[in-house]
Amino acid sequence: MFEDFAKRVHDIGIIPVIAIQDAKKAVPLAKALVDGGIPAAEVTFRTDAAEEAIKAMAKAYPDMLVGAGTVLSVEKAEAAVKAGAKFIVSPGFDPEVVDWCIAHQVPVSPGLCTPSEIQQAIKRGLSVVKFFPAEASGGVAMLKNFAGPFGGVKFMPTGGISLANLADYAKCPNVLSVGGTWMVKADKINDEKWDEITQMCKDAQKALQGLTLVHVGLNNPNAEAMDKSVAQFEKLGMTVSKAGSSSTFMDGKIEIMNKPFYGTNGHLAYSCYDVDRTIGYLAQFGFHPIPESISKDAKGTKVVYFKEEVNGFAIHLVRA
């Protein structure tokens, strides 16, 4: 069950951290998040409306990943789960809360920022923890230091993260997802700026992917045609940067194929921070991966092509 939770959190990639004052606004807020491509929420017990807000969101959007944050006691954990929370998050490592969640098979991510706390989490079988407060505790640099001794632990950093530094965290292999409040500021919720929240969610999801065009692939009927294309590009001042068994790269920007390949005319290769996550992201826009094109390694998917074409070119993802 915890594995399913971790996969869901990874695929969504961003968990909005919400302090809501009026439970009546919970459902329209949930809709704004879902419409923005982030079907998740960590509703914090910093307000009296938290329990009712969780209940309202969970009922209106049963497929949404709704959890409870700032859970400081077993009593609050019980109340949150009863209201419909699918996971529990706490700002610090409370053994009683963690043990209760484990005993009741409730995914829990305790907050921590030191090696000793991480070891306590590992002893209890946890592999997903909250890194809090992220920026104040060393941010990305600290996460990189954690990666060596704690290679099996994934982190959900929260605290000081915004659209400005989101990409820095998304690039870290040991970051499962990020948490933040910038999409769901109190004034936006109080003023019912649902469209603005939706747009900020879309902007965050786009930034999380890190999609960057890295090269263009051009199909050819055979090796002889490829050689002719290479000669033409050389006349334009480009040089061969890599020659392989199936293609030749010109300045690392144009891949000239020696045979017909994916795409009517060729492919557009985009790098991204996490190929598996971006496959899910692009699914909402109607892109479907070609199963036989998928290449994996110990870190996950590293290469994939999609069935759909853009102006005769297949879309190709490569891990950054």
Side-chain angles (χ1 to χ4, degrees):
M1 182 180 66
F2 284 18
E3 289 78 10
D4 292 340
F5 165 73
K7 184 181 185 308
R8 184 86 189 277
V9 170
H10 166 269
D11 291 348
I12 296 172
I14 304 175
I15 307 297
V17 180
I18 301 164
I20 189 167
Q21 301 290 339
D22 184 355
K24 293 179 181 178
K25 296 179 180 179
V27 173
L29 173 58
K31 182 179 186 303
L33 297 175
V34 171
D35 290 347
I38 304 181
E42 176 191 325
V43 181
T44 66
F45 271 79
R46 299 177 188 176
T47 70
D48 294 335
E51 189 173 339
E52 285 302 314
I54 291 171
K55 186 182 297 184
M57 286 184 173
K59 181 178 180 180
Y61 291 90
D63 294 331
M64 188 176 181
L65 186 63
V66 180
T70 319
V71 176
L72 303 178
S73 66
V74 170
E75 290 73 24
K76 288 296 184 183
E78 289 180 308
V81 172
K82 185 177 180 180
K86 297 176 181 177
F87 64 94
I88 298 296
V89 180
S90 58
F93 189 91
D94 185 326
E96 292 184 1
V97 172
V98 171
D99 291 344
W100 183 89
C101 289
I102 293 173
H104 291 80
Q105 295 187 307
V106 178
V108 58
S109 295
L112 41 77
C113 61
T114 68
S116 296
E117 292 169 318
I118 296 174
Q119 287 184 238
Q120 290 302 310
I122 292 174
K123 283 184 178 180
R124 285 173 165 77
L126 299 182
S127 59
V128 177
V129 296
K130 176 179 180 176
F131 178 45
F132 177 82
E135 281 291 282
S137 300
V140 170
M142 184 62 80
L143 286 169
K144 290 180 178 178
N145 287 328
F146 286 156
F150 306 116
V153 178
K154 295 292 185 181
F155 296 89
M156 298 168 61
T158 305
I161 300 176
S162 66
L163 193 62
N165 60 5
L166 174 61
D168 295 331
Y169 284 90
K171 294 175 186 177
C172 292
N174 58 347
V175 168
L176 186 71
S177 70
V178 298
T181 62
W182 78 92
M183 302 149 289
V184 286
K185 291 291 187 181
D187 60 329
K188 299 294 183 183
I189 297 174
N190 292 336
D191 295 339
E192 302 184 3
K193 301 290 186 178
W194 311 129
D195 289 344
E196 292 184 20
I197 290 175
T198 291
Q199 186 58 53
M200 285 189 287
C201 288
K202 290 181 178 180
D203 293 342
Q205 274 291 5
K206 183 178 179 180
L208 182 71
Q209 311 310 317
L211 283 164
T212 304
L213 181 66
V214 289
H215 73 258
V216 177
L218 303 177
N219 290 344
N220 280 290
N222 50 49
E224 181 180 358
M226 180 193 72
D227 291 339
K228 290 181 178 179
S229 293
V230 169
Q232 290 293 85
F233 280 110
E234 287 179 327
K235 292 175 182 177
L236 294 171
M238 300 186 77
T239 59
V240 174
S241 55
K242 180 182 177 182
S245 60
S246 61
S247 66
T248 297
F249 273 89
M250 307 300 298
D251 287 353
K253 298 177 181 178
I254 298 178
E255 182 181 15
I256 306 174
M257 312 302 298
N258 64 12
K259 60 183 178 181
F261 200 55
Y262 294 116
T264 302
N265 301 319
H267 62 268
L268 303 175
Y270 286 83
S271 67
C272 60
Y273 303 139
D274 187 307
V275 175
D276 289 304
R277 179 184 291 136
T278 302
I279 288 174
Y281 171 74
L282 291 178
Q284 65 182 308
F285 304 116
F287 287 94
H288 303 86
I290 301 172
E292 58 269 27
S293 76
I294 297 174
S295 176
K296 295 178 176 286
D297 60 15
K299 297 179 181 179
T301 302
K302 60 179 182 178
V303 170
V304 66
Y305 289 80
F306 292 89
K307 298 176 183 178
E308 293 72 25
E309 298 183 5
V310 176
N311 279 28
F313 286 84
I315 301 301
H316 168 38
L317 294 183
V318 295
R319 188 169 58 217

